[in-house]
C-alpha cells in the first residue's frame, strides 16, 4: 500500500552550485556529514557543507589532454580517502580530505584495451586493506581491472570474453569483506 499521513511528508533542500554547467552525478556523505559529489561533465570533485550551503570544488588533474573530462562513481574508503572513477581520463583518483590533494592512478598506455583507451566508471575500495588492491570496471575492455596500490601494477580480468555473441557491460561493482569482487551486468 502507498504511504499515508506523516509517511508522505518530506523536506527537500536545494543547494546552488558555483558553476551553471555543473553536472553532479554520484554523491556520498562522509562521517562528518559533508556531502561529496563527482561532476559528470567537468573534471571536478565537489564538497558541500549542508549546514552552511558552502560548496567548494577541487579540480582533478588532467591525465590525457584532449580526452573528455568528468567522473562518475565516488566512494569513501575506511581511511577517509575519496575515490573516483576518472572515465575517459583513465584510471582512478584518490582525494585526501586533510591535504586537499589528489593522487591519480592512470592505466598504462600499453594496457588501454581493444579500442585504444580505458574508461573507469566504477570503483570498489571498501576492502582494499585486505590485500592492498582496489577494483574498477572498464567498459571498452568488457572487464574489470585491479590495481595493486603498493606496486602500481594493474591486472586485467575479462570474465565475459567467452560470451562473445552476447552483449555485456559491467555497471555497479562492490567488494565483500575479503575483497572479492561482485558486479552487475547490464547485458
Amino acid at each position: 500500500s502507498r504511504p499515508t499521513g506523516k509517511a508522505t511528508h518530506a523536506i527537500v533542500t536545494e543547494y546552488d552550485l558555483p558553476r551553471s554547467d555543473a553536472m553532479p552525478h554520484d554523491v556520498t556523505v562522509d562521517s562528518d556529514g559533508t556531502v561529496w559529489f563527482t561532476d559528470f561533465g567537468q573534471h571536478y570533485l565537489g564538497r558541500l557543507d549542508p549546514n552552511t550551503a558552502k560548496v567548494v570544488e577541487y579540480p582533478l588533474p588532467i591525465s590525457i589532454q584532449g580526452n573528455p573530462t568528468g567522473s562518475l562513481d565516488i566512494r569513501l574508503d575506511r581511511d577517509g580517502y575519496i575515490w573516483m572513477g576518472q572515465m575517459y581520463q583513465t584510471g582512478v583518483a584518490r582525494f585526501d580530505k586533510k591535504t586537499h590533494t589528489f593522487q591519480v592512478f592512470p592505466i598504462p598506455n600499453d594496457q588501454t584495451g581493444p579500442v585504444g583507451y580505458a574508461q573507469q566508471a566504477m570503483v570498489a575500495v571498501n576492502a582494499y586493506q585486505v590485500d592492498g588492491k582496489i577494483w574498477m570496471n572498464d567498459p571498452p575492455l568488457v572487464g574489470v581491472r585491479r590495481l595493486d596500490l603498493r606496486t602500481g601494477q594493474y591486472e586485467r580480468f575479462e570474465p565475459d570474453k567467452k560470451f562473445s555473441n552476447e552483449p555485456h557491460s559491467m555497471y555497479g561493482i562492490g567488494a565483500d569483506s575479503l575483497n572479492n569482487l561482485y558486479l552487475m551486468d547490464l547485458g
Side-chain angles (χ1 to χ4, degrees):
S1 63
R2 295 186 58 87
T4 60
K6 285 188 176 186
T8 63
H9 296 212
I11 296 173
V12 176
T13 305
E14 293 183 3
Y15 298 92
D16 291 327
L17 297 178
R19 291 178 298 107
S20 63
D21 63 348
M23 298 171 66
H25 194 281
D26 288 3
V27 176
T28 192
V29 180
D30 69 17
S31 60
D32 298 326
T34 301
V35 177
W36 297 89
F37 59 92
T38 56
D39 188 311
F40 193 61
Q42 307 293 323
H43 228 45
Y44 288 97
L45 168 66
R47 186 186 97 207
L48 164 70
D49 180 337
N51 296 316
T52 64
K54 181 179 178 185
V55 176
V56 176
E57 292 183 312
Y58 302 95
L60 276 86
I62 301 295
S63 297
I64 304 174
Q65 292 296 327
N67 269 22
T69 58
S71 297
L72 193 69
D73 200 12
I74 184 169
R75 302 291 172 151
L76 293 166
D77 69 22
R78 293 181 191 168
D79 297 323
Y81 291 108
I82 299 168
W83 292 83
M84 295 144 288
Q86 289 214 95
M87 295 295 288
Y88 297 107
Q89 284 295 314
T90 187
V92 293
R94 179 175 73 181
F95 184 73
D96 185 329
K97 297 185 303 181
K98 294 176 185 156
T99 64
H100 299 152
T101 58
F102 288 98
Q103 183 175 5
V104 294
F105 301 90
I107 304 291
N109 290 338
D110 64 343
Q111 298 178 30
T112 56
V115 294
Y117 62 87
Q119 175 192 357
Q120 284 63 57
M122 307 292 161
V123 295
V125 298
N126 55 301
Y128 80 86
Q129 291 84 351
V130 171
D131 57 8
K133 298 178 181 182
I134 64 166
W135 294 95
M136 65 208 72
N137 76 330
D138 192 336
L141 180 66
V142 191
V144 293
R145 295 179 187 268
R146 185 168 62 177
L147 170 63
D148 185 321
L149 294 172
R150 286 179 227 127
T151 66
Q153 298 297 309
Y154 277 93
E155 298 173 88
R156 289 170 50 160
F157 300 90
E158 301 172 79
D160 295 325
K161 200 170 192 173
K162 62 184 174 186
F163 304 114
S164 62
N165 295 334
E166 301 173 24
H168 290 275
S169 180
M170 295 170 197
Y171 197 90
I173 63 173
D176 66 14
S177 63
L178 300 176
N179 209 18
N180 295 309
L181 181 68
Y182 289 80
L183 55 95
M184 298 297 295
D185 187 335
L186 287 177

